[in-house]
């Protein structure tokens, strides 16, 4: 029983080595500082100066907004009397960066919400941008230029808003902070904990869950100096293998080392067999490494080793498989257990 237990742990360790990629990453690239983040802003405004491509009279909210705007400059008029097609109602969104200061400029995204044909060439009039707390943090205004964009109802305006209110965050006086991993992982949380403790020579970091590492600032450093050093610390980051599939474009992105176990898959008029047995045929050609492919039998052989997703994709390309067929085959391999890596369809 003791031997069996040790053997089982050894096999699990070997499987983990094949299913996880190890790569050196800086802590600043894989973890965020809790509390230091962007804040989303939103506003409702009007784009004026359009050449007859604005909202029609049927967009009641646009006509009401025009009336409200005119009333703010002492011009009173009923929304029913407004016939202009040179104005479009839009929603404005933006991200308020952490530590942004009053007077800083930020980019904004403008999108039509009425029945306008185009907002090209218009001018966004002064629009307050608020956060989830209801406070105004920025003011947006400026010319709407679409450039080469094919979407005439949405535009990004560079430096289109000015920050009016700051989000205060007292980082300098803090004695400790929390790091949050961008992806939960027990292994990576412990690795970051150990890496920080190794660099600074004391137990100042402690992983409290698979995503959070609490860190205490050394007394000899300011918090800014300390975080600048922490973010540059390298960690042997464990990254789970994943296959990304974009069904619309037919794009497949995957790590070259993802293992595919022996299997036979048929999709439409495409059938492929994956085996470890050596191939003996006049139609055998080398794919890569030790992998060979029999174009007559549509058989891919790893010759006693492991077949990778890279070899499978190359073999399918030689068979003339379409992007749709490749996606179906990979998904079938995943369901059959031939592929252990996670597949994400976007």
């Amino acid at each position: 029983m003791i031997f069996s237990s040790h053997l089982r742990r050894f096999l699990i360790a070997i499987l983990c080595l094949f299913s996880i990629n190890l790569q050196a990453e800086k802590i600043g690239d894989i973890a965020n500082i809790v509390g230091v983040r962007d804040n989303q802003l939103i506003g409702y405004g009007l784009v004026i100066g359009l050449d007859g491509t604005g909202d029609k009279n049927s967009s009641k909210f646009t006509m009401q907004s025009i009336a409200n705007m005119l009333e703010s400059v002492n011009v009173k008029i009923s929304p029913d009397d407004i016939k202009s097609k040179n104005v479009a109602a839009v929603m404005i969104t933006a991200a308020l960066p952490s530590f942004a200061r009053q007077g800083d400029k930020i980019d904004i995204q403008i999108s039509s919400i009425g029945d306008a044909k185009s907002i090209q060439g218009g001018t966004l009039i002064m629009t307050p941008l608020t956060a989830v707390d209801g406070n105004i943090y920025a003011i947006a205004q400026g010319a709407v230029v679409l450039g080469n964009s094919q979407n005439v109802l949405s535009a990004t305006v560079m430096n289109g808003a000015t920050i009016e209110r700051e989000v205060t965050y007292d980082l300098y006086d803090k004695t400790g902070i929390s790091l949050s991993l961008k992806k939960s992982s027990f292994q990576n949380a412990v690795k970051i904990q150990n890496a920080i403790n190794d660099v600074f020579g004391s137990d100042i970091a402690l992983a409290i869950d698979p995503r959070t590492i609490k860190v205490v600032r050394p007394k000899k450093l300011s918090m800014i100096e300390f975080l600048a050093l922490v973010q540059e610390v390298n960690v042997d980051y464990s990254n789970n293998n994943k296959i990304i599939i974009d069904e619309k474009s037919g794009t497949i992105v995957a790590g070259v080392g993802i293992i595919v176990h022996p299997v036979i898959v048929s999709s439409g008029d495409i059938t492929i067999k994956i085996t470890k047995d050596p191939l003996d045929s006049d139609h055998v050609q080398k794919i890569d490494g030790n992998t060979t492919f029999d174009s007559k039998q549509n058989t891919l052989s790893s010759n006693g080793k492991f077949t990778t997703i890279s070899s499978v994709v190359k073999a399918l390309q030689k068979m003339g498989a379409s992007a749709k067929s490749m996606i179906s085959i990979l998904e079938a391999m995943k369901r059959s257990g031939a592929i252990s890596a996670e597949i994400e369809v976007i």
Side-chain angles (χ1 to χ4, degrees):
M1 290 297 293
I2 294 178
F3 174 78
S4 177
S5 175
H6 281 298
L7 179 60
R8 185 162 54 250
R9 286 198 294 268
F10 175 76
L11 291 175
I12 291 174
I14 292 298
L15 289 174
C16 288
L17 286 175
F18 281 120
S19 62
I20 296 176
N21 285 330
L22 294 179
Q23 54 193 48
E25 297 279 1
K26 291 181 179 179
I27 290 179
D29 294 331
I30 60 176
N32 296 318
I33 301 169
V34 175
V36 179
R37 62 179 181 85
D38 292 350
N39 287 276
Q40 300 304 309
L41 305 179
I42 191 171
Y44 169 82
L46 295 173
V47 171
I48 63 174
L50 301 174
D51 187 13
T53 60
D55 293 341
K56 299 176 183 177
N57 297 336
S58 56
S59 296
K60 298 297 183 182
F61 53 87
T62 304
M63 302 304 121
Q64 183 64 60
S65 299
I66 296 174
N68 295 343
M69 177 191 66
L70 293 174
E71 188 172 354
S72 69
V73 291
N74 298 320
V75 177
K76 293 186 179 181
I77 188 172
S78 170
D80 295 331
D81 295 331
I82 299 174
K83 306 301 181 183
S84 173
K85 294 183 180 179
N86 298 334
V87 181
V90 294
M91 295 300 297
I92 302 97
T93 56
L96 179 66
S98 54
F99 303 110
R101 298 295 178 238
Q102 289 183 4
D104 289 352
K105 301 287 187 178
I106 57 175
D107 300 341
I108 59 174
Q109 180 73 32
I110 303 175
S111 300
S112 170
I113 59 172
D115 54 5
K117 294 180 180 178
S118 173
I119 59 174
Q120 168 67 36
T123 300
L124 174 69
I125 60 175
M126 187 171 63
T127 304
L129 303 181
T130 61
V132 69
D133 60 4
N135 291 321
I136 297 173
Y137 285 87
I139 301 295
Q141 183 168 287
V144 179
V145 181
L146 302 183
N148 296 325
S149 174
Q150 299 298 317
N151 187 353
V152 295
L153 297 176
S154 181
T156 298
V157 180
M158 307 294 289
N159 299 323
T162 304
I163 296 174
E164 300 293 336
R165 180 195 293 261
E166 301 174 4
V167 177
T168 58
Y169 186 75
D170 183 15
L171 188 64
Y172 184 82
D173 293 325
K174 286 186 174 293
T175 58
I177 52 95
S178 293
L179 297 176
S180 176
L181 278 169
K182 295 179 181 179
K183 293 183 179 180
S184 296
S185 169
F186 286 102
Q187 291 184 5
N188 291 330
V190 173
K191 286 179 180 180
I192 290 178
Q193 166 195 285
N194 295 339
I196 293 175
N197 289 336
D198 289 343
V199 169
F200 293 94
S202 58
D203 294 333
I204 62 172
L206 177 65
I208 62 173
D209 61 40
R211 195 160 196 145
T212 310
I213 303 95
K214 287 189 173 296
V215 187
V216 178
R217 170 179 60 85
K219 293 181 179 180
K220 62 181 179 180
L221 296 173
S222 71
M223 181 58 78
I224 307 304
E225 293 171 329
F226 176 55
L227 289 177
L229 294 173
V230 167
Q231 289 189 320
E232 291 298 312
V233 174
N234 285 319
V235 176
D236 288 332
Y237 183 67
S238 300
N239 187 24
N240 291 333
N241 276 319
K242 181 182 289 188
I243 301 171
I244 308 296
I245 297 175
D246 186 341
E247 284 192 319
K248 291 183 179 179
S249 65
T251 302
I252 301 172
V253 181
V256 294
I258 296 178
I259 293 172
V260 181
H261 298 285
V263 68
I264 299 177
V265 179
S266 179
S267 176
D269 58 350
I270 297 291
T271 299
I272 185 170
K273 177 182 179 181
I274 298 172
T275 180
K276 287 186 177 182
D277 298 331
L279 302 177
D280 184 13
S281 169
D282 295 334
H283 304 281
V284 174
Q285 54 185 305
K286 189 173 182 180
I287 294 290
D288 54 25
N290 295 311
T291 308
T292 53
F293 178 63
D294 185 340
S295 57
K296 188 74 171 179
Q297 300 296 327
N298 290 343
T299 301
L300 184 69
S301 172
S302 59
N303 294 295
K305 300 183 180 295
F306 288 101
T307 303
T308 65
I309 194 71
S310 173
S311 300
V312 172
V313 170
K314 289 178 181 178
L316 290 172
Q317 289 175 336
K318 288 184 176 295
M319 294 169 62
S322 65
K324 185 176 181 181
S325 294
M326 285 190 190
I327 292 172
S328 299
I329 289 171
L330 292 178
E331 290 177 335
M333 287 179 176
K334 171 64 177 177
R335 287 192 293 270
S336 70
I339 298 177
S340 299
E342 178 184 352
I343 293 182
E344 180 179 339
V345 181
I346 59 176

